């Protein structure tokens, strides 16, 4: 295949919000055809969500607290799409989610092409992108690893 992101992926971000703004970006990966977005919005509380262009949207609907560290993970691939908050599955969809990104035009961390640019009141500690759809145990492992470093 000629696509960079046409296979299973896991994207993790460690962040803290100091003020909740409308559609503030955590991570955005964009091409001319598709966009992978991890963000948070105050339109439904202050809740993290993930989307792939206009094809897919997964909202946690979990209100996050200000000035507290969070481990947010988006796993997508063949027959599954999940979002995790602090190692726990918040939403799970059983459908194939495969963006078609042949060449990356832009990658934003703490910023997005929609909403608040750059995200004010946001601190990002780490971003990781894996070329596989992680299992619940693998996501939990990374959450516990970070919990020891910054969540205490």
């Amino acid at each position: 295949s000629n696509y960079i992101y046409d296979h299973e992926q896991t994207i993790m971000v460690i962040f803290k919000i100091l003020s909740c703004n409308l559609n503030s970006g955590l991570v955005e990966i964009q091409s001319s055809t598709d966009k992978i977005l991890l963000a948070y919005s105050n339109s439904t509380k202050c809740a993290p969500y993930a989307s792939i262009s206009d094809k897919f949207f997964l909202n946690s609907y979990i209100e996050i607290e200000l000035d507290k560290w969070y481990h947010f993970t988006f796993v997508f691939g063949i027959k599954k799409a999940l979002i995790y908050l602090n190692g726990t599955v918040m939403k799970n969809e059983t459908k194939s989610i495969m963006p078609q990104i042949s060449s990356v035009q832009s990658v934003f961390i703490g910023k997005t092409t929609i909403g608040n640019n750059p995200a004010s009141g946001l601190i990002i500690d780490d971003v990781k992108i894996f070329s596989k759809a992680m299992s619940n145990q693998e996501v939990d492992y990374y959450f516990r690893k970070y919990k020891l470093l910054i969540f205490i």
Side-chain angles (χ1 to χ4, degrees), residues 63-126:
E63 185 172 10
I64 56 177
E65 298 175 35
L66 299 180
D67 202 24
K68 181 177 176 184
W69 287 105
Y70 287 93
H71 182 268
F72 183 50
T73 304
F74 179 35
V75 176
F76 60 91
I78 300 169
K79 298 185 182 175
K80 73 175 180 178
L82 302 97
I83 54 175
Y84 296 79
L85 195 59
N86 293 345
T88 302
V89 175
M90 295 288 107
K91 280 288 192 180
N92 183 357
E93 293 282 333
T94 53
K95 60 175 143 180
S96 181
I97 306 298
M98 292 296 185
Q100 301 284 297
I101 296 182
S102 57
S103 64
V104 174
Q105 288 182 328
S106 60
V107 175
F108 296 118
I109 297 175
K111 179 181 170 176
T112 179
T113 54
I114 63 165
N116 189 16
N117 291 307
S120 60
L122 170 66
I123 300 170
I124 293 179
D125 181 69
D126 195 18

Side-chain angles (χ1 to χ4, degrees), residues 37-74:
L37 176 65
L38 279 71
Y40 62 92
S41 174
N42 67 1
S43 62
T44 55
K45 305 179 184 176
C46 191
Y49 66 88
S51 68
I52 298 176
S53 299
D54 59 356
K55 302 173 185 176
F56 178 76
F57 181 83
L58 199 57
N59 195 329
S60 69
Y61 295 107
I62 302 297
E63 185 172 10
I64 56 177
E65 298 175 35
L66 299 180
D67 202 24
K68 181 177 176 184
W69 287 105
Y70 287 93
H71 182 268
F72 183 50
T73 304
F74 179 35

